[in-house]
Amino acid sequence: MGRQYKVAVVGATGAVGETMLSILAERQFPIRELVALASARSAGAMVAFGDDEVMVRDLADFDPAGVDIALFSAGGAISKEYAPKFAAAGAVVIDNSSAFRQDDDVPLVVAEVNPEAARQRPRGIIANPNCSTMQMLVALAPIHREAGIERINVATYQSVSGAGRSALEELGRQTASLLSFQGAEPERFPVQIAFNLIPHIDEFMDNGFTREEMKLVWETRKILGDESIQVNPTAVRVPVFYGHAEAVHVETREKISAARARELLEAAPGVEVVDERAGGGYPTPVTHASGNDAVFVGRIREDLSHPRGLDLWVVADNIRKGAALNAVQVAELVVGEG
């Protein structure tokens, strides 16, 4: 038996934390001891880990000494306060929040795209990208390597699970209320989400884009290592429980055919191509992505309006691949170094 590791999951009672625990067990990560951490109000609760249950401990009272790997998914404020403490105690921190993504001395890693970046972590912290960036780049990286990407126009269709458990509950509550011919008062979202679309995710910035949209710009350039890539995003919240979808239009530096792009995607790690020109011959959040690990790509075609344009439809489970799975894959890269 190889080396075993002490692993901490911070935010273990959240949707992403629970999925991290599930994936660690599924992938048989070499764990000697697992520590589930959350806020004081969750301390004492039990969370599932494979066939076992683990008691949740209070993060504020926990001594990180001896932890080898810490997976954080408890929000940016918690990460900023506690991730440096875990790193100082010797742990490699893999953080799912936006707290460190733009820091030059923190690598931003997608396991299938830039795994080598995980080796250089001067602060002991590795950042997980935003879910929408993650799935887009798993699909676009093989095209970028082959032909170079000059510009990306992307519209995202993001499920409510990306906004947390309260958002899931609001969609369910509003849907039931409206189907009973009652009203649907918004609480978690600024307007009704049930049977609606909201072109607003995260806060608005001075340039008119939202922070969620700008994450697609900043993170794409950092992960692909190319500041010249132009990204024009629109992020939309849709009344879907799990799974983000994206309409992606790319302009490449060199001409690449739809057939060649399909070949590259079929050979790419983490990608499944579902691209038949027939009813149901394309991926959707419900029929393909939800509960699965792959990034699904369909509707692959050449852009009629640009000589070097490609159009893609990209779908993935935002909680699994968009957050928890990539964190565990990065942890696997870390333990595989030695």
Side-chain angles (χ1 to χ4, degrees), residues 159-240:
S159 65
V160 297
S161 55
R165 198 180 302 278
S166 62
L168 287 164
E169 292 170 352
E170 180 150 317
L171 174 57
R173 186 170 58 249
Q174 288 186 355
T175 301
S177 180
L178 288 165
L179 289 175
S180 300
F181 302 100
Q182 304 297 313
E185 290 300 316
E187 295 177 11
R188 176 62 180 80
F189 294 106
V191 297
Q192 174 187 316
I193 181 60
F195 306 102
N196 201 11
L197 303 174
I198 305 175
H200 172 198
I201 302 177
D202 210 329
E203 62 191 31
F204 280 97
M205 305 189 71
D206 290 343
N207 63 2
F209 286 81
T210 63
R211 183 168 292 276
E212 183 80 3
E213 290 160 349
M214 291 308 300
K215 288 173 188 175
L216 281 156
V217 180
W218 300 326
E219 295 177 15
T220 293
R221 292 171 175 171
K222 182 171 180 177
I223 293 163
L224 294 180
D226 189 341
E227 288 294 318
S228 71
I229 296 174
Q230 300 300 304
V231 184
N232 182 42
T234 300
V236 182
R237 189 72 73 188
V238 298
V240 170

Side-chain angles (χ1 to χ4, degrees), residues 123-189:
R123 288 165 61 185
I125 300 171
I126 301 170
N128 229 20
N130 192 43
C131 46
S132 52
T133 309
M134 178 113 50
Q135 70 184 65
M136 183 176 77
L137 293 190
V138 170
L140 293 188
I143 294 169
H144 181 60
R145 294 188 191 107
E146 173 101 353
I149 290 175
E150 195 168 79
R151 178 178 168 82
I152 303 166
N153 284 295
V154 56
T156 71
Y157 306 86
Q158 298 181 218
S159 65
V160 297
S161 55
R165 198 180 302 278
S166 62
L168 287 164
E169 292 170 352
E170 180 150 317
L171 174 57
R173 186 170 58 249
Q174 288 186 355
T175 301
S177 180
L178 288 165
L179 289 175
S180 300
F181 302 100
Q182 304 297 313
E185 290 300 316
E187 295 177 11
R188 176 62 180 80
F189 294 106

Side-chain angles (χ1 to χ4, degrees), residues 45-316:
M46 304 299 291
V47 289
F49 176 59
D51 295 329
D52 299 321
E53 287 194 325
V54 179
M55 181 177 287
V56 177
R57 297 164 67 174
D58 184 355
L59 172 63
D61 295 336
F62 180 72
D63 181 355
V67 173
D68 298 301
I69 295 172
L71 306 179
F72 271 67
S73 188
I78 295 296
S79 291
K80 285 180 180 178
E81 180 177 358
Y82 288 97
K85 296 177 181 178
F86 276 72
V92 175
V93 173
I94 301 164
D95 180 50
N96 195 55
S97 80
S98 61
F100 307 105
R101 289 176 187 158
Q102 293 309 305
D103 293 5
D104 290 338
D105 52 358
V106 175
L108 184 64
V109 179
V110 179
E112 297 89 350
V113 178
N114 61 335
E116 69 287 343
R119 291 195 289 269
Q120 301 298 321
R121 43 180 191 272
R123 288 165 61 185
I125 300 171
I126 301 170
N128 229 20
N130 192 43
C131 46
S132 52
T133 309
M134 178 113 50
Q135 70 184 65
M136 183 176 77
L137 293 190
V138 170
L140 293 188
I143 294 169
H144 181 60
R145 294 188 191 107
E146 173 101 353
I149 290 175
E150 195 168 79
R151 178 178 168 82
I152 303 166
N153 284 295
V154 56
T156 71
Y157 306 86
Q158 298 181 218
S159 65
V160 297
S161 55
R165 198 180 302 278
S166 62
L168 287 164
E169 292 170 352
E170 180 150 317
L171 174 57
R173 186 170 58 249
Q174 288 186 355
T175 301
S177 180
L178 288 165
L179 289 175
S180 300
F181 302 100
Q182 304 297 313
E185 290 300 316
E187 295 177 11
R188 176 62 180 80
F189 294 106
V191 297
Q192 174 187 316
I193 181 60
F195 306 102
N196 201 11
L197 303 174
I198 305 175
H200 172 198
I201 302 177
D202 210 329
E203 62 191 31
F204 280 97
M205 305 189 71
D206 290 343
N207 63 2
F209 286 81
T210 63
R211 183 168 292 276
E212 183 80 3
E213 290 160 349
M214 291 308 300
K215 288 173 188 175
L216 281 156
V217 180
W218 300 326
E219 295 177 15
T220 293
R221 292 171 175 171
K222 182 171 180 177
I223 293 163
L224 294 180
D226 189 341
E227 288 294 318
S228 71
I229 296 174
Q230 300 300 304
V231 184
N232 182 42
T234 300
V236 182
R237 189 72 73 188
V238 298
V240 170
F241 286 108
Y242 292 98
H244 290 355
E246 298 171 340
V248 183
H249 312 278
V250 298
E251 298 166 10
T252 55
R253 296 191 173 105
E254 299 175 14
K255 171 68 177 175
I256 181 172
S257 68
R260 178 57 180 157
R262 193 176 292 106
E263 287 177 1
L264 292 170
L265 289 162
E266 286 173 341
V271 174
E272 286 192 28
V273 173
V274 181
D275 189 35
E276 300 295 331
R277 294 174 183 177
Y282 35 76
T284 73
V286 172
T287 57
H288 292 83
S290 184
N292 290 311
D293 290 343
V295 172
F296 295 86
V297 184
R299 300 298 318 279
I300 303 167
R301 61 205 189 277
E302 292 175 32
D303 185 342
L304 297 175
S305 68
H306 193 283
R308 300 184 310 282
L310 283 174
D311 297 334
L312 312 169
W313 175 249
V314 182
V315 181

